[in-house]
Amino acid sequence: MEHYVGLDVSLKLTSICIVDRTGKVEREGVVTSDPEAIATFIKLHASHVVRIGLETGATSTWLWTELNKIGLPVICIDARHAKAVLKMQINKSDRNDAAGIARIMQCGWYKEVCVKNLDSHATKALLVSRALLVKIKRDIENQIRGLLKNLGPVIGRAKMNVFTVRATQLAEDRSELFVAVDPLLKARAAVEQQIADLDRKVLRLARNNAQVRRFMTAPGVGPVTALCFLATIDDPARFKRSRSVGAYAGLTTRRYASREIDWTGRISKCGDKMLRSYLYEAANVLLTRVAKGSALKAWGIRLAKRSGLRKAKVAVARKLAVILHRMWIETLALVRSPLALRCSKGQSALHTLIR
């Protein structure tokens, strides 16, 4: 008899529900949130399992990867879609959620989520750490500017080491102010050193990955944007059309249509926020800093004259996402070995970080 399994995962415990093809509950239980424990329970009580479902969450990548290695037919489903079904239940509990997910697997009404491999997560972790340090550095600089401005001195426009020199000069005249500013300057210097170390690792990853180097041939795209695109998309084959990548990054407009009502709003801002911000930054560089002309830049400038620079940057960012995806697809078509390219990408990502 066919069995369908639902997993409601928490950090410590996982509720498991097994149903047959008619939706009848065959077995329920609670085990530790460990792949081996979950696999043992399923193999013991569901010998003819067809699908195993779990929602997207903090540990879904790890559990999906390990259960998949064991050979179980595990599927990761969108938590927002699962919520639309689970909220119909009167009582909210882990046991009921597991039963609801199992019935979702049984009826087949779900949207499967593509789980990225661990190499992509390792690359994304590096970029997230760098982005956090950049934000901390900017917050420290703003705090120093605010402390000085309250008493009159204004740093003004300053970059790189000019900021430290200027802030030190303004604070030395007032000993009571220097006591507060000096620790912040030392913290900024330490954070700046860590950012430089991460930048070297990012450049090393970019040099060792052929696909990232191809991405960087696009105008305005640097190593950070190229690596972020590679790690976020992970598998370009999951998009049937390149223009779907723009919607995946949240760079397409919202729309609401019902009877006589039909309006188009701002961009959806769904998907990965980091990828969207880096694509927007790349578009800004293309339109304002890149001197070499291109068809994309000319199109963006015409759009900026007609609709404004901000809308033009968003539109160019969406175009860049489509172009990068199309470059990736055409590269795979030329190589005719997507699996080999994917494996080489994973090895370079992990091995380069370890060295």
Side-chain angles (χ1 to χ4, degrees):
M1 179 179 291
E2 296 178 350
H3 292 111
Y4 302 88
V5 180
L7 306 178
D8 187 74
V9 182
S10 64
L11 292 178
K12 294 183 179 180
L13 300 176
T14 296
S15 297
I16 305 177
C17 179
I18 303 172
V19 301
D20 59 17
R21 60 183 177 183
T22 64
K24 180 183 177 181
V25 176
E26 292 288 334
R27 186 79 180 189
E28 292 179 309
V30 179
V31 299
T32 58
S33 295
D34 180 75
E36 293 293 339
I38 295 174
T40 301
F41 185 92
I42 294 175
K43 290 180 179 180
L44 182 63
H45 301 289
S47 56
H48 300 87
V49 59
V50 178
R51 286 189 291 267
I52 303 171
L54 75 158
E55 298 178 272
T56 54
T59 59
S60 58
T61 300
W62 170 59
L63 288 177
W64 184 92
T65 302
E66 296 300 324
L67 292 175
N68 192 46
K69 288 180 180 178
I70 296 174
L72 295 176
V74 59
I75 295 173
C76 188
I77 62 177
D78 194 335
R80 295 175 300 175
H81 290 201
K83 181 181 179 181
V85 178
L86 300 179
K87 71 178 182 181
M88 300 300 295
Q89 300 177 131
I90 297 176
N91 297 320
K92 173 73 170 66
S93 65
D94 294 343
R95 178 183 177 183
N96 289 343
D97 287 348
I101 295 173
R103 292 192 173 95
I104 292 174
M105 293 293 102
Q106 176 256 330
C107 68
W109 189 61
Y110 60 86
K111 181 178 180 181
E112 185 175 357
V113 175
C114 179
V115 180
K116 302 180 182 65
N117 58 38
L118 298 181
D119 301 317
S120 295
H121 282 282
T123 304
K124 196 63 178 294
L126 178 67
L127 297 176
V128 169
S129 298
R130 179 187 177 277
L132 178 60
L133 291 177
V134 170
K135 181 180 182 299
I136 292 175
K137 176 186 173 184
R138 184 173 61 249
D139 291 342
I140 293 175
E141 291 177 352
N142 291 336
Q143 184 66 34
I144 294 173
R145 290 177 183 273
L147 292 175
L148 293 175
K149 191 183 295 183
N150 286 335
L151 298 179
V154 177
I155 295 179
R157 189 173 183 179
K159 295 182 180 180
M160 305 299 289
N161 295 332
V162 178
F163 181 88
T164 303
V165 174
R166 180 65 175 162
T168 304
Q169 291 176 350
L170 294 175
E172 282 179 346
D173 297 337
R174 305 191 180 194
S175 58
E176 70 280 3
L177 189 58
F178 184 77
V179 174
V181 172
D182 186 58
L184 294 178
L185 290 175
K186 293 179 180 178
R188 178 185 177 275
V191 172
E192 192 173 26
Q193 179 61 41
Q194 295 301 320
I195 294 174
D197 293 341
L198 288 178
D199 285 341
R200 285 191 291 270
K201 294 180 181 180
V202 168
L203 290 175
R204 192 186 312 159
L205 281 176
R207 285 195 300 266
N208 293 339
N209 193 296
Q211 190 58 54
V212 172
R213 294 197 302 269
R214 293 188 187 95
F215 288 155
M216 292 171 60
T217 60
V221 177
V224 176
T225 304
L227 274 175
C228 185
F229 187 86
L230 185 81
T232 304
I233 301 301
D234 185 62
D235 182 14
R238 62 193 179 107
F239 296 99
K240 294 182 179 180
R241 298 176 299 180
S242 294
R243 63 181 182 179
S244 300
V245 182
Y248 176 78
L251 292 169
T252 55
T253 56
R254 293 178 178 269
R255 187 185 178 191
Y256 180 86
S258 178
R259 296 189 177 92
E260 295 82 9
I261 302 175
D262 189 356
W263 58 264
T264 301
R266 297 177 179 271
I267 59 173
S268 63
K269 292 186 179 180
C270 64
D272 191 82
K273 182 179 179 181
M274 177 179 288
L275 176 61
R276 184 169 58 255
S277 63
Y278 284 151
L279 288 173
Y280 184 86
E281 184 177 344
N284 177 57
V285 171
L286 173 62
L287 293 177
T288 60
R289 298 183 185 180
V290 175
K292 186 177 180 180
S294 61
L296 181 59
K297 181 177 181 179
W299 177 79
I301 291 176
R302 290 196 303 269
L303 185 61
K305 293 179 180 178
R306 185 171 67 250
S307 302
L309 186 59
R310 292 181 62 184
K311 291 184 178 180
K313 291 177 183 178
V314 173
V316 171
R318 182 185 62 81
K319 285 276 190 180
L320 278 174
V322 175
I323 291 172
L324 294 179
H325 181 266
R326 180 46 50 186
M327 290 171 60
W328 201 348
I329 290 294
E330 291 181 355
T331 301
L332 293 180
L334 291 174
V335 175
R336 294 182 180 179
S337 179
L339 181 60
L341 184 62
R342 187 184 176 97
C343 291
S344 65
K345 176 197 72 172
Q347 291 177 358
S348 64
L350 285 181
H351 294 178
T352 308
L353 283 176
I354 294 174
R355 288 198 301 266

